[in-house]
């Protein structure tokens, strides 16, 4: 990564936030949901970068995350708690 990005103390924050978004979107503790959420997030970011603006990929990730939380608060494959 250092050949593409400048290294500093906050370099891992973006990757950590994307990982957290993927885990929550998929349903905490569900590996199948995390894989599907990662694919959905990757496709959405690629589409936004290609069609709109590469600088808006993080905004697209947060927007998709908010939409999933609004309609499925337990995640894509999460179970409802009793």
């Amino acid at each position: 990564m250092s050949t593409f990005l400048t290294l500093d103390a906050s370099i891992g924050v973006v990757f950590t936030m994307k990982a957290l978004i993927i885990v929550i979107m998929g349903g905490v503790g569900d590996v199948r949901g995390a894989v599907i959420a990662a694919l959905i997030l990757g496709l959405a970011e690629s589409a936004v970068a290609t069609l709109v603006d590469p600088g808006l990929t993080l905004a697209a990730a947060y927007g998709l995350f908010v939409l999933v939380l609004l309609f499925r608060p337990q995640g894509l494959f999460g179970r409802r708690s009793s």
Side-chain angles (χ1 to χ4, degrees):
M1 292 302 295
S2 66
T3 59
F4 301 112
L5 300 171
T6 305
L7 295 176
D8 61 3
S10 64
I11 192 69
V13 173
V14 174
F15 301 115
T16 304
M17 287 304 295
K18 285 186 183 182
L20 181 66
I21 288 172
I22 289 169
V23 168
I24 294 174
M25 273 179 53
V28 178
D30 191 1
V31 177
R32 174 185 53 164
V35 170
I36 298 296
L39 288 172
I40 291 170
L41 188 65
L43 289 173
E45 285 185 348
S46 296
V48 167
T50 303
L51 300 174
V52 183
D53 183 26
L56 293 176
T57 58
L58 195 58
Y62 289 137
L64 188 61
F65 178 55
V66 167
L67 285 175
V68 169
L69 283 180
L70 282 175
F71 295 106
R72 295 236 353 139
Q74 68 273 14
L76 296 174
F77 291 97
R79 296 184 184 99
R80 293 185 189 264
S81 59
S82 54

